Amino acid sequence: MGKRQIIFLISVLAVCCLLAGCGKKPSDGVTITIWHDKEDAIAEVLQTELDKLAPDIKVKLEKKNGLTESLKMVGKDPKAAPDMYFFAHDKIGVYGEMGILSPITDFVDKSVLDNYLDMTIEAATYKDEIYQLPIYFETLLYMYNRALMYDDQVPETTEELYAFMKEHTSGDNYGFVEQHSTAYYSAGWIHGFGSELISEDGQPLLNTDKIKQALEYHLKFTKLMPGESEYTTVNTLFLEGHAASTINGPWFVPSAREAGLSIGIAPMPIVDATGMPLAPYSGVQGLHVLKVASEDEKKHEAIKKILNHLIQPDIGIAMAAASGCAPAYKECYEKEEVKNDEMVMMMRETAESAVPMPNVPAMDVMWNVTGNMLVEINMSGTNIETATNVAPEKAKELINAMA
């Protein structure tokens, strides 16, 4: 065989090898791991939607206990950290300061975020960067037992609520109950007076005139509630028919319905003195991207496809149906299946005044400090002026210790 023939045969074999992939198996695609802490119904909806990206992208959802602390420990380790996580927005500041997150605008065009409720994008923003793609949100709701409070008795203002409480509170029965001495539940009253617990730059605001007015006003309501206001007591009173109304989260509604109660859900009462509604905190749940994953070229492209795939109404509609979640995507509220859900639509209405939980790192301190201050005022009888002078100093001390 001549030299030219040998070269020709080698060339033919090389081409055949390329066409056949040299006997190698096709790529299995990219695997993206997402940590979460969600109930099964939520995780199943997300997994079902993301499975549509297979086989090019395989998404593995991993339920993680102690997710927030785990991220602090391994967030910079590409071998141990997840690629993304699905969680509330309130830790964005902590992780942003640690430098372990990538802005989602590295993966999606910022203009598409106009399709989301303003409150959800506000929640996802820290120091002018957007670190979360919002999927759904939750807020507290005013709810009542229709056997004890008729629809035409539902208070439109806080003074109407107070009048109902005075008339219907006796012995072990109450017109209204709430976890009045926890920061999360009491924040709505504080926001209703135009105040905040903490500033955008992380400074405690526990001794402003507005917050003192809010605490003084709220105090008269707490005197018509049980002395013990923790979670179990409040929920049991309502579930057993000893409380006509309450402020609670959407997660409480299934328990009330299982107890055989006919539940009504209404707008938050308006504070007579300010004309503003009680404005609870909102928690926005969504996807965040770890920087160690975004720096990997293949994973970066896969994450880009995942996030852009979720920028549509279907995922929000499915989660609303599965678990009563309020979608972050505006268009969802034009769909009949969402419009017919009383609880979801009330959260949508409440979103207009709800305040996203602060995502600044210093807020970690404020929950306990504010809760202790509320206990002192509402349950121990401490003078408001005294309590509001002590609390911010304690907060500053603990915030400084975080540095």
Side-chain angles (χ1 to χ4, degrees):
M1 185 180 292
K3 186 176 180 181
R4 289 183 178 179
Q5 290 175 307
I6 292 172
I7 292 172
F8 174 77
L9 286 173
I10 291 172
S11 300
V12 170
L13 288 171
V15 171
C16 291
C17 186
L18 287 171
L19 292 173
C22 294
K24 292 181 181 179
K25 294 181 180 179
S27 172
D28 291 330
V30 181
T31 297
I32 298 296
T33 299
I34 302 177
W35 282 1
H36 73 96
D37 69 337
K38 302 292 170 274
E39 61 186 273
D40 291 344
I42 293 294
E44 288 169 8
V45 169
L46 183 60
Q47 186 71 70
T48 298
E49 188 61 39
L50 295 179
D51 281 347
K52 295 176 183 178
L53 298 171
D56 294 337
I57 301 170
K58 180 182 178 181
V59 178
K60 178 185 176 184
L61 293 185
E62 183 178 329
K63 191 163 187 175
K64 189 75 173 177
N65 293 324
L67 183 150
T68 56
E69 291 304 311
S70 295
L71 284 173
K72 290 178 183 178
M73 291 188 288
V74 304
K76 295 183 178 181
D77 184 352
K79 294 181 179 179
D83 303 305
M84 307 171 74
Y85 71 94
F86 185 37
F87 195 70
H89 73 277
D90 57 315
K91 295 298 181 185
I92 285 174
V94 172
Y95 302 140
E97 292 297 336
M98 288 177 62
I100 65 172
L101 297 182
S102 287
I104 63 163
T105 46
D106 289 353
F107 307 89
V108 305
D109 191 295
K110 190 173 183 179
S111 64
V112 302
L113 300 179
D114 292 341
N115 295 311
Y116 291 82
L117 297 175
D118 292 344
M119 179 272 293
T120 66
I121 298 302
E122 179 186 348
T125 303
Y126 179 71
K127 291 186 175 180
D128 298 323
E129 295 282 8
I130 302 171
Y131 287 107
Q132 182 200 69
L133 180 70
I135 302 295
Y136 70 89
F137 68 93
E138 296 169 321
T139 68
L140 295 176
L141 297 164
Y142 182 83
M143 54 188 74
Y144 59 99
N145 181 344
R146 285 194 165 102
L148 302 176
M149 176 184 278
Y150 302 140
D151 290 348
D152 60 3
Q153 293 178 303
V154 175
E156 295 184 2
T157 69
T158 51
E159 283 303 300
E160 288 180 9
L161 173 61
Y162 186 66
F164 183 90
M165 291 173 71
K166 288 197 295 183
E167 186 176 346
H168 294 86
T169 299
S170 177
D172 294 330
N173 296 305
Y174 300 89
F176 171 73
V177 293
E178 65 171 349
Q179 296 176 58
H180 58 65
S181 294
T182 64
Y184 182 74
Y185 282 83
S186 295
W189 295 83
I190 291 167
H191 298 149
F193 275 78
S195 189
E196 296 269 8
L197 299 182
I198 193 168
S199 67
E200 290 185 3
D201 61 352
Q203 297 302 309
L205 299 174
L206 298 179
N207 61 349
T208 65
D209 288 342
K210 288 182 178 179
I211 206 167
K212 291 174 187 177
Q213 292 167 14
L215 294 170
E216 184 70 45
Y217 185 65
H218 187 216
L219 183 60
K220 77 174 187 177
F221 292 82
T222 69
K223 291 177 178 178
L224 292 174
M225 297 186 224
E228 286 297 325
S229 67
E230 43 76 40
Y231 183 84
T232 302
T233 298
V234 168
N235 289 356
T236 299
L237 284 168
F238 190 81
L239 293 174
E240 294 185 354
H242 291 288
S245 64
T246 189
I247 289 176
N248 215 318
W251 50 84
F252 179 64
V253 172
S255 296
R257 289 174 177 163
E258 287 171 12
L261 302 182
S262 176
I263 300 299
I265 301 173
M268 288 288 181
I270 303 292
V271 178
D272 295 74
T274 66
M276 299 167 63
L278 300 183
Y281 276 136
S282 60
V284 180
Q285 306 283 341
L287 284 164
H288 312 71
V289 180
L290 274 294
K291 186 176 287 187
V292 289
S294 71
E295 291 171 347
D296 180 294
E297 185 176 350
K298 288 184 178 179
K299 287 187 174 182
H300 185 102
E301 287 305 306
I303 291 167
K304 183 176 181 179
K305 290 179 180 178
I306 288 170
L307 293 175
N308 281 279
H309 177 74
L310 294 174
I311 299 174
Q312 39 86 358
D314 292 352
I315 185 70
I317 293 168
M319 287 196 175
S323 193
C325 302
Y329 199 79
K330 293 176 185 176
E331 188 181 330
C332 296
Y333 297 95
E334 300 172 9
K335 308 299 181 180
E336 287 302 316
E337 54 265 58
V338 174
K339 289 166 69 174
N340 292 333
D341 190 314
E342 177 190 19
M343 182 173 71
V344 170
M345 292 307 294
M346 190 55 66
M347 282 193 282
R348 170 67 183 90
E349 181 177 332
T350 304
E352 294 302 313
S353 57
V355 178
M357 286 187 292
N359 60 24
V360 293
M363 190 62 195
D364 283 357
V365 163
M366 298 301 294
W367 296 115
N368 284 334
V369 171
T370 305
N372 291 338
M373 180 186 74
L374 292 167
V375 168
E376 287 293 317
I377 293 169
N378 296 334
M379 300 172 69
S380 299
T382 301
N383 176 272
I384 289 175
E385 192 69 34
T386 300
T388 55
N389 283 333
V390 171
E393 294 307 313
K394 182 62 176 177
K396 290 176 184 176
E397 176 188 332
L398 294 173
I399 291 169
N400 290 336
M402 294 173 66

